[in-house]
Amino acid sequence: ETGVTQTPRHLVMGMTNKKSLKCEQHLGHNAMYWYKQSAKKPLELMFVYNFKEQTENNSVPSRFSPECPNSSHLFLHLHTLQPEDSALYLCASSSQREGLGDTQYFGPGTRLTVL
Amino acid sequence: DAKTTQPTSMDCAEGRAANLPCNHSTISGNEYVYWYRQIHSQGPQYIIHGLKNNETNEMASLIITEDRKSSTLILPHATLRDTAVYYCIVRPPNAGGTSYGKLTFGQGTILTVHP
């Protein structure tokens, strides 16, 4: 248990559906991240939020829409996805203290399958 | 960011020490060495990190060479539950504002612990 929870753990959706992934951290961190891990590929950073402000969008298609209402919650809204978007979606959080290395703690992930 | 080189796979007998090497010959003076592991289809788990000195915690030990060009993660008494992909990552400290030390995952080392 890392203090980062994700729901749902598994999700199957059609290409015309709209769904949302939720992440919550109980660690008092100020930064949250979305990563994507496709089969047999390394983790890819998607989005970064620091104090609710998006600080990085790693050229992610607009069918993925993040939302960070506060420092503890992070959402990833999904619409009109493609089968190649099927992957493990991971959330992480950290304290992002200036001048220091900060440790990112990951949630268990949501296994997404797009039919 | 500095690149890392790890063996693709390693085997270890249960109860023995597992020594996982990592080369990072282009590491800069202020970059940290981080180790994570990922058990199949779960989120990455933080293990340990260091800057210049050797580090030890309840999970593992990290030995960094004096020139900082390589490091070794040591699991002192490997168990079957230590079977996972182990990632060695070099990352800079946070620079402040929206600039932070990005965590870039490679392919890692697949460690298999045998009975």
Side-chain angles (χ1 to χ4, degrees):
Chain A
E1 188 62 48
T2 63
V4 181
T5 59
Q6 291 186 242
T7 54
R9 295 294 307 278
H10 300 274
L11 179 62
V12 180
M13 59 186 290
M15 290 189 286
T16 58
N17 291 156
K18 289 184 180 181
K19 296 287 184 184
S20 295
L21 309 184
K22 178 183 176 181
C23 176
E24 184 173 358
Q25 59 97 0
H26 310 274
L27 300 170
H29 290 160
N30 60 288
M32 298 187 77
Y33 311 76
W34 279 118
Y35 287 84
K36 174 185 178 182
Q37 187 174 31
S38 302
K40 300 192 188 299
K41 289 186 177 180
L43 276 77
E44 303 171 57
L45 181 65
M46 300 175 72
F47 301 104
V48 181
Y49 277 82
N50 189 318
F51 285 115
K52 302 185 297 179
E53 300 295 325
Q54 186 179 121
T55 58
E56 181 151 348
N57 177 335
N58 205 19
S59 303
V60 181
S62 59
R63 57 185 183 271
F64 295 91
S65 175
E67 178 190 0
C68 189
N70 55 61
S71 294
S72 299
H73 295 85
L74 184 65
F75 296 88
L76 187 62
H77 304 299
L78 316 171
H79 63 96
T80 324
L81 293 193
Q82 305 298 312
E84 58 264 29
D85 296 322
S86 298
L88 181 68
Y89 288 85
L90 292 155
C91 174
S93 73
S94 74
S95 58
Q96 260 194 35
R97 294 168 297 173
E98 182 175 340
L100 300 176
D102 70 328
T103 299
Q104 291 183 28
Y105 293 92
F106 286 80
T110 295
R111 173 68 62 186
L112 174 67
T113 303
V114 182
L115 301 178
Chain B
D1 295 345
K3 302 297 183 187
T4 62
T5 303
Q6 298 179 253
T8 303
S9 63
M10 294 182 63
D11 291 331
C12 179
E14 188 177 20
R16 305 296 287 254
N19 298 293
L20 291 90
C22 180
N23 287 323
H24 30 78
S25 59
T26 60
I27 192 170
S28 298
N30 64 349
E31 290 184 313
Y32 291 81
V33 179
Y34 271 78
W35 283 85
Y36 281 80
R37 72 180 182 185
Q38 188 175 23
I39 297 170
H40 182 62
S41 291
Q42 297 182 21
Q45 178 187 22
Y46 165 75
I47 301 173
I48 199 167
H49 76 281
L51 184 61
K52 296 178 182 176
N53 299 322
N54 298 335
E55 302 288 345
T56 295
N57 62 20
E58 65 278 5
M59 289 184 67
S61 294
L62 174 61
I63 308 299
I64 303 174
T65 58
E66 194 168 341
D67 62 8
R68 301 188 71 237
K69 293 185 177 182
S70 65
S71 60
T72 301
L73 179 74
I74 301 172
L75 307 179
H77 305 287
T79 71
L80 299 179
R81 287 179 295 180
D82 292 322
T83 293
V85 180
Y86 286 77
Y87 299 99
C88 170
I89 303 167
V90 170
R91 60 176 294 255
N94 300 317
T98 59
S99 179
Y100 71 99
K102 190 174 295 185
L103 204 62
T104 304
F105 286 80
Q107 297 288 356
T109 296
I110 301 171
L111 175 68
T112 304
V113 181
H114 298 284

